[in-house]
């Protein structure tokens, strides 16, 4: 049995965490032989509810769950953390515009970045789920200057999984047969779902579904999927967001499939014309040792390049809003 | 790859199902090679929310999820079903006493029993989660006379898991080291958590924790655990209930551990002085072929026998309330 991993989850009494924590503690992310200590961070008014969540975790009798820490203090929450899921974020309220939202969250994530910098384990790796995820990840990274930049990522895996599933549904194929789909850019409605190198089984995906369906049905449906779920369910995506977070960290920690890649928002190195200095979603492969590589050498059409420019410009504009925190 | 199993979940837009469906579809119950078709039953006003849940299931891109049926019609919901999780139940509202609650639920479960009888697959197996679970299971079974009685069970696994976890916590042991714990009787506060044959590692559990702690701390805490979770979380146990349902059906389908047993509410054969004609929780072992056996030959003390009598009397009283539906 390995030594326990310390896994921090923020927003731990919220809806996404309620789907996420139990699956982490069961072994879905780090495997069936890896004990876990869950370090659950919440705001002070939610500590009572968090106690209830901890009781339920206890009531599952999970052999891998070797300990729990419940705290409203970021330094305690990130103390010795090996992995962190930053799920909690300030929600958008009526009358707030996007820059208000970014500003509110910047305060949260700069504090958490500083706590990661001073308290986390030397191998800390971070996934930001709370929106605006890419810019929140940038703020976190910028406030943790002693941690290597490549340890900070944001989640575009939900967009990726939605795209894979919609494509498989259209083609009458299993989701496992879809490979090499990419979501570029920001986790927002400017993201670019790209089928240029995507296959469904042995067939090129664009040939299987047609360019017209791709541009008229697929791209707008994926961009509007979050809002459609809210409309139907009366609440935002939680279980599917948690599932995507699990997939992201699972693949980062344990490796991506052969002959496939996943979409991860990572610090941009300027590949494919993406702006540097932002957290940008690229096609990535992971060998299974906690590293990832941006897939290189793809040739892209003019429409995808234009989309990458637009979503990159949006990320630069978000960065400008929080410039004083970077 | 096996042929898909049809798995019916009722109350599919509710909180327990929201934790349960994703884990069934991921393979947590029937294994990583068993495709699933989820047949999700809800009441008509919840069909919109159920559509949102189905969208999120789709958005997880789960290779084992080969299909979904969304319906408010019991015959459609149970059509060809191999396994059924009866989660949906009429909730207790202010001013209702227990017999009101039993009566309200009796209507739901008699309809579902008839649908199971006429439409389910010949190998149908049923777990009732919705409360009062034991009596709801009895009504379901009684309305499905063509289905072998032993296919109907109710959930005491949450009580069992809570007991295992509390005991391990007290002894400073891992939950996996706790064996042969039994919860007897009704899933209500008359249930009897029994450590007579329970071990923690190689030590008898009662010696490890002491009889005084067992009777003064353990039994009342387990009996009041559901209410304590509601008080802390502001909502009843959902993820832990779903986890227990997964454990119950997983072990029933795939087998219990060697040198251990689990607590399952099953049709009473009169063992240990339990009344016949009710669904009663016994220690059970499962070989992994969809059958179970009640553990025989245990010698019990007078306190446990008295507890079995009291919880059995409660089940007989519940049965009397719904006599005309049996």
């Amino acid at each position: 049995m390995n030594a326990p991993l310390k896994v921090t989850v923020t927003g731990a009494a919220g809806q996404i965490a309620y789907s996420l924590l139990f699956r982490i503690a069961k072994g879905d992310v780090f495997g069936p032989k890896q004990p876990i200590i869950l370090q659950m961070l919440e705001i002070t008014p939610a500590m009572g509810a968090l106690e209830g969540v901890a009781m339920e975790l206890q009531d599952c009798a999970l052999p891998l769950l070797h300990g729990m820490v419940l705290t409203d203090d970021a330094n305690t929450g990130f103390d010795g953390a090996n992995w962190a899921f930053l799920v909690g974020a300030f929600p958008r309220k009526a009358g707030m515009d996007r820059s208000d939202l970014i500003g509110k969250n910047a305060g949260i994530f700069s504090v958490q970045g500083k706590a990661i910098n001073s308290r986390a384990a030397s191998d800390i790796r971070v996934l930001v789920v709370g929106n605006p995820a890419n810019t929140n990840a940038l703020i976190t990274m910028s406030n943790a200057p002693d941690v290597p930049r490549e340890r900070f990522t944001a989640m575009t895996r939900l967009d990726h999984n939605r795209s894979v599933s919609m494509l498989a549904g259209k083609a009458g194929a299993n989701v496992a047969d879809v490979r090499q789909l990419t979501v570029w850019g920001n986790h927002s409605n400017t993201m670019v779902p790209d089928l240029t190198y995507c296959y469904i089984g042995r067939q090129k995906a664009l040939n299987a579904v047609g360019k017209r369906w791709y541009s008229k049905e697929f791209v707008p449906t994926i961009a509007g999927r979050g809002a459609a779920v809210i409309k139907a369910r009366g609440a935002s995506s939680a279980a599917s967001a948690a599932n995507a977070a699990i997939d992201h960290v699972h693949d980062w920690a344990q490796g991506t499939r052969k002959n496939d890649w996943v979409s991860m928002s990572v610090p941009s190195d300027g590949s494919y014309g993406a702006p540097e200095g932002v957290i940008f979603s690229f096609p990535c492969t992971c060998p299974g040792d906690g590293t990832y590589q941006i897939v290189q050498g793809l040739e892209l059409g003019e429409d995808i390049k234009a989309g990458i420019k637009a979503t990159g410009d949006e990320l630069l504009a978000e960065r400008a809003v929080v410039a004083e925190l970077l």
Side-chain angles (χ1 to χ4, degrees), chain A:
Chain A
M1 192 65 89
N2 303 327
L5 280 178
K6 293 189 173 183
V7 181
T8 300
V9 177
T10 74
Q15 288 305 304
I16 295 175
Y18 193 66
S19 287
L20 180 61
L21 290 163
F22 295 82
R23 292 186 57 191
I24 295 172
K26 204 195 134 274
D28 282 3
V29 182
F30 302 106
K33 294 184 178 175
Q34 178 55 62
I36 300 291
I37 294 172
L38 283 177
Q39 304 194 158
M40 300 182 278
L41 183 62
E42 254 301 352
I43 54 175
T44 311
M47 291 305 291
L50 182 58
E51 178 64 34
V53 174
M55 291 168 76
E56 285 206 74
L57 279 159
Q58 189 182 344
D59 291 351
C60 290
L62 299 167
L64 296 177
L65 183 58
H66 281 217
M68 290 190 275
V69 174
L70 287 66
T71 183
D72 56 3
D73 173 66
N75 284 324
T76 306
F78 290 104
D79 189 52
N82 306 107
W83 291 87
F85 294 76
L86 306 195
V87 177
F90 197 91
R92 192 163 190 160
K93 295 187 175 169
M96 284 173 69
D97 66 18
R98 190 161 171 97
S99 74
D100 292 337
L101 180 71
I102 292 168
K104 275 282 188 192
N105 277 291
I108 298 170
F109 288 87
S110 60
V111 167
Q112 295 185 357
K114 289 181 175 71
I116 288 169
N117 199 57
S118 62
R119 301 295 286 268
S122 61
D123 65 350
I124 178 71
R125 288 177 170 78
V126 178
L127 168 65
V128 177
V129 175
N131 286 319
N134 295 55
T135 294
N136 289 342
L138 180 66
I139 294 164
T140 309
M141 179 180 84
S142 302
N143 283 276
D146 301 330
V147 178
R149 286 159 35 108
E150 67 269 18
R151 305 289 185 74
F152 295 88
T153 67
M155 190 167 92
T156 22
R157 186 62 178 267
L158 180 53
D159 310 300
H160 181 99
N161 285 349
R162 286 168 170 165
S163 299
V164 165
S165 189
M166 185 175 174
L167 205 58
K170 172 70 176 174
N174 190 282
V175 290
D177 296 329
V178 177
R179 294 184 300 111
Q180 298 186 175
L181 183 143
T182 305
V183 175
W184 300 95
N186 195 8
H187 172 60
S188 80
N189 56 15
T190 66
M191 68 180 158
V192 183
D194 176 12
L195 305 185
T196 309
Y197 287 85
C198 181
Y199 283 79
I200 304 173
R202 294 196 186 128
Q203 189 176 20
K204 290 206 97 170
L206 274 173
N207 294 343
V209 299
K211 283 193 177 174
R212 186 181 162 78
W213 181 84
Y214 165 74
S215 58
K216 299 290 182 197
E217 298 286 332
F218 181 71
V219 173
T221 300
I222 296 302
R225 185 67 168 181
V229 169
I230 291 174
K231 191 176 173 195
R233 206 169 81 81
S236 60
S237 301
S240 57
N243 182 72
I246 287 162
D247 285 350
H248 177 113
V249 176
H250 175 277
D251 288 356
W252 188 5
Q254 307 211 35
T256 42
R257 295 197 299 177
K258 276 189 187 175
N259 303 315
D260 197 7
W261 61 60
V262 296
S263 304
M264 295 171 68
S265 287
V266 301
S268 172
D269 62 355
S271 296
Y272 301 107
E276 295 192 57
V278 299
I279 306 288
F280 194 95
S281 184
F282 292 100
C284 293
T285 56
C286 307
D289 61 359
T291 67
Y292 59 80
Q293 290 187 300
I294 297 172
V295 175
Q296 295 296 335
L298 305 177
E299 288 190 24
L300 305 174
E302 290 309 314
D303 54 338
I304 300 295
K305 287 181 185 173
I308 286 175
K309 174 76 169 65
T311 194
D313 285 347
E314 184 182 57
L315 282 166
L316 290 172
E318 291 187 13
R319 188 179 70 172
V321 174
V322 296
E324 80 282 3
L325 286 163
L326 303 179

